[in-house]
């Protein structure tokens, strides 16, 4: 592998931006740009994934010794921005964004040596097994259990809403290892589990857009060796929370609303909506909401750049972002009149706009990553310190 | 829970509601919608036959023409009930719109043939009267022998592939005519709709129809169209009021049994407030439809038109926003295709976009109200 070992952080920001943008233009296949699918499967974006891996661009935050770029927050922001601006597809990134950082912080040397290269090579595709039918917002109540039996854990239970489990081969699993713990948070552990084991069943669940992005995953006496444990037993909750770290800011990055707004603009131009002062007024509101989200994002990004830690207040970005995304897609339907009855894409000059796809998709981000109500609850307590 | 409230002295409205409830046990709305979507068809023939048998297709067609001769209240109660059950065959277009056009047409043999077929379900008669921008617009035509020759397109045609006959607006020089055109003479292309059906674009290239197929001419055409649009908008409004009400009910049921943090999530105050707002939206939608029905019974056409515009806008907004909130309150479950709530929201968006979105209707309301 001709991995580029360079000190990216030493490069001036604008030079890095130009460099990475050109690299993406050359290495992301044209047909993958602005994909209709929000969560393409590994097989669909394999070429791009391997180009990223080949040149050492797959894992922006990992240390270079594990094939990462070790970008500082500013450079990472540029990396994310250019990716979104060019319309490069999302790759199955649970290995890069979740399992990788977890192992880097809490994994044994052996786990790091075994797993990290396989993430980089694409051999292991990971998914995130946290939510259960009875445990969504109240994740700590989860019941999927792992019981010690000699040198093994025996896993029983069910996960649900597991994004891309049907095209992953490993799952990062939260399990209950102590049913007697004083607080439910205290009896949870993290296990690394291959999905190909006997007793594991994966069933895709078609979503509102009729795409099978998430799945149910069943565990029936599934055996894994105790070496599958990450960190210490019963410390899984703390681990899982810590890993989120500064990645939380990206739940609020303006990229999704920016993209939706750009689609709205193309659609509106094609339909002559800019001749309608009422539309222009509504568009202006949305435009400035996107613009101001950028300013608010910068306010938090600066904290990171200055080496600080993000507080619970960063969730304000996620709220504004997800609700703005919804308002923009609602406006798309409002300007197409009778055509909002169709399920397929809409013509706008010589391009097609996936207005309905975006409208339906925009329901999801307000639910996942901690629903907007849960975020408001947290901020009411942790930011405003309201009583109760 | 929200419902349209009318006096029901002879019990007709109650009977209609009961008959829809019974119908829905035979043909569960969401299930049939999914089946139709999977089949890629634009009409569920079995459901349609059932509707004909129930006597719903000719509900508001005058008795002397073979219909049940009932009024706007009965139609609204029926449509509301269909909305609640997510029974999604295009009754508003194939029965209400076409029925109104034909009822207003001249008493010819052709009119009788079409209306009889419409009522007993043996003929699918679909209006093909909209332009690409959704407005009601005639197709270019010229005189041909004693008949006329059509060349042009109609858009947003319901059940285009299943239809036997299209009702088409034709413009010959400056005069309009309403004609019936055999579906077989048109070229049809379809696109999938949000509510698991298909809408057609219907093209006629030099199709000739005889004089016997001319159903109305001149000013009578405008009157018929106006009547058809108004009744259909009202039926859609009622259907959406029913959808909004049911969306709320489903959400109240779901959040009352879904437990997180040791209690039903409906016990959290934020959710309670949201559901109260959803309830208010549904109540207002129902009240707006009732108001429109009452205005229609008075002798003031302008007041009736205003009330219908208001009702369609109000019920449309309500059914769509209540649906969106309902999905959110279901969490990830609401984001699945398996859960019915998403289908209610999609159906609401589709109906809300038919024959005028709320903003356009509100502008039409204000323009009409201000016109001297
Ligand atoms: C597209 C998508 C992808 C996902 N991918 C994954 C994945 O890969 N892995 C994974 O583990 N999970 C995944 N999830 C699951 C996600 O984390 C959960 O949906 C989320 O935690 C909410 O849980 P729930 O769906 O059970 O909703 P519930 O917790 O049942 O909530 C239902 C409603 O009640 C509200 N509510 C709940 N509690 C409170 C409260 N205390 N106060 C006020 N309101 C409250 C919520 O805001 C919501 O509106 C995904 C979800 C979606 C939609």
């Amino acid at each position: 592998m001709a991995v580029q070992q360079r000190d990216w952080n030493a490069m001036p920001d604008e030079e890095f931006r130009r460099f990475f943008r050109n690299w993406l233009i050359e290495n992301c296949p044209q047909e993958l740009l602005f994909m209709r699918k929000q969560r393409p499967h590994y097989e669909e974006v394999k070429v791009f994934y391997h180009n990223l891996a080949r040149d050492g661009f797959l894992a922006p935050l990992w240390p270079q010794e594990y094939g990462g770029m070790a970008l500082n927050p500013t450079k990472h922001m540029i990396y994310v921005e250019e990716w979104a601006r060019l319309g490069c597809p999302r790759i199955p990134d649970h290995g890069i964004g979740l399992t990788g950082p977890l192992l880097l912080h809490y994994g044994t040397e052996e786990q790091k040596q075994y797993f990290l290269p396989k993430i980089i090579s694409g051999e292991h595709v990971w998914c995130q097994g946290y939510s259960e039918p009875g445990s969504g917002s109240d994740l700590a109540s989860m019941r999927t259990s792992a019981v010690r039996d000699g040198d093994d854990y025996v896993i029983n239970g069910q996960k649900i809403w597991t994004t891309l489990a049907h095209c992953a081969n490993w799952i990062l699993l939260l399990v209950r290892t102590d049913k007697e713990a004083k607080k439910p948070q205290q009896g949870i552990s993290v296990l690394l589990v291959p999905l190909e084991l006997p007793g594991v069943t994966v069933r895709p669940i078609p979503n509102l857009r009729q795409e099978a992005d998430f799945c149910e995953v069943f565990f029936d006496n599934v055996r894994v060796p105790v070496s599958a444990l990450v960190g210490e037993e019963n410390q899984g909750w703390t681990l899982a929370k810590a890993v989120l770290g500064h990645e939380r800011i990206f739940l609020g990055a303006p990229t999704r609303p920016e993209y939706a707004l750009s689609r709205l603009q193309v659609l509106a131009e094609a339909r002559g909506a800019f001749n309608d002062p009422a539309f222009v007024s509504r568009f202006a509101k949305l435009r400035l909401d996107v613009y101001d989200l950028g300013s608010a994002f910068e306010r938090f990004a600066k904290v990171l750049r200055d080496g600080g830690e993000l507080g619970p207040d960063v969730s304000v970005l996620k709220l504004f972002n997800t609700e703005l995304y919804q308002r923009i897609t609602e406006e798309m339907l409002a300007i197409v009149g009778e055509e909002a009855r169709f399920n397929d894409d809409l013509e706008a000059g010589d391009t097609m706009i996936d207005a309905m796809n975006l409208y339906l998709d925009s329901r999801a981000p307000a639910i996942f990553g901690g629903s907007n109500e849960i975020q408001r609850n947290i901020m009411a307590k942790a930011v405003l310190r309201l009583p109760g | 829970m929200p419902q349209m409230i009318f006096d029901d002295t002879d019990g007709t409205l109650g009977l209609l509601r009961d008959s829809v409830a019974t119908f829905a046990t035979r043909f569960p709305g969401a299930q049939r919608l999914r089946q139709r979507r999977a089949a890629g068809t634009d009409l569920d023939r079995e459901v349609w036959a059932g509707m004909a048998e129930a006597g719903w297709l000719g509900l508001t067609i005058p008795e002397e023409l073979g219909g049940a001769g009932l009024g706007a209240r009965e139609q609204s109660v029926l449509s509301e009930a269909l909305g609640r059950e997510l029974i999604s065959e295009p009754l508003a277009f194939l029965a209400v719109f076409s029925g109104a056009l034909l009822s207003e047409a001249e008493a010819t043999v052709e009119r009788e043939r079409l209306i009889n077929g419409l009522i007993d379900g043996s003929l699918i008669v679909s209006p093909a009267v909209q332009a690409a921008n959704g407005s009601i617009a005639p197709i270019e035509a010229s005189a041909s022998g004693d008949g006329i020759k059509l060349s042009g397109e109609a858009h947003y045609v319901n059940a285009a592939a299943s239809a036997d006959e299209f009702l088409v607006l034709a413009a010959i020089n400056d005069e309009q005519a309403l004609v019936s055109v055999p579906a077989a003479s048109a070229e049809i292309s379809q696109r999938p709709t949000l509510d698991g059906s298909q809408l057609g674009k219907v093209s006629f290239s030099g199709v000739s129809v005889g004089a016997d197929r001319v159903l109305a001419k001149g000013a009578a055409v405008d009157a018929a169209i106006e009547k058809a649009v108004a009744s259909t908008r009202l039926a859609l409004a009622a259907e959406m009021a029913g959808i909004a009400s049911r969306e709320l009910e489903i959400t109240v049921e779901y959040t009352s049994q879904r437990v997180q943090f040791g209690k039903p999530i409906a016990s959290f105050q934020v959710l309670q407030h949201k559901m109260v707002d959803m309830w208010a939206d549904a109540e207002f939608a129902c009240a707006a439809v009732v108001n429109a029905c009452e205005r229609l019974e008075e002798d003031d056409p302008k007041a009736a038109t205003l009330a219908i515009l208001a009702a369609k806008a109000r019920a449309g907004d309500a059914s769509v926003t209540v649906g969106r909130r309902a999905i959110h309150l279901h969490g990830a479950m609401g984001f699945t295709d398996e859960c019915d709530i998403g289908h209610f929201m999609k159906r609401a968006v589709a109906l809300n976009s038919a024959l005028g979105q709320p903003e356009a209707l509100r502008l039409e309301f204000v323009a009409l109200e201000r016109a001297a």
Side-chain angles (χ1 to χ4, degrees), chain A residues 133-134 136-138 161 206-208 210 282 330 333 337-341 343-345 359-360 363 366 373, chain B residues 37 130 156 191-194 258 260-261 274 324 328 331-332 335-338 346 350 353-355 357 359:
Chain A
S137 296
D138 182 15
W161 319 127
N207 65 20
L208 209 55
Q210 285 181 267
R282 294 197 302 268
E330 284 157 23
L333 300 200
E338 200 94 18
E339 273 193 273
R341 294 165 78 181
N343 198 36
D344 55 358
D345 295 353
Y359 175 80
L360 296 175
R363 310 326 303 168
E373 285 70 33
Chain B
R37 183 182 66 181
Q130 285 176 278
Y156 316 109
R191 283 172 63 188
T193 62
L194 202 52
R258 167 75 173 163
Q260 290 288 275
F261 305 101
K274 279 186 207 256
R324 286 202 289 254
H328 184 74
F335 196 66
T336 64
D337 187 63
E338 289 170 352
K346 290 179 174 186
S353 311
L355 294 183
Q357 286 207 25
E359 187 185 35

Side-chain angles (χ1 to χ4, degrees), chain A residues 62-63 66 95 99-101 103-104 110-122 124:
Chain A
W62 293 17
Y66 294 109
T99 308
L103 293 179
L104 284 163
E110 223 182 325
Q111 285 172 331
K112 287 187 226 179
Q113 294 299 342
Y114 179 76
F115 287 105
L116 298 180
K118 292 188 163 55
I119 293 173
I120 294 279
S121 71
H124 287 180

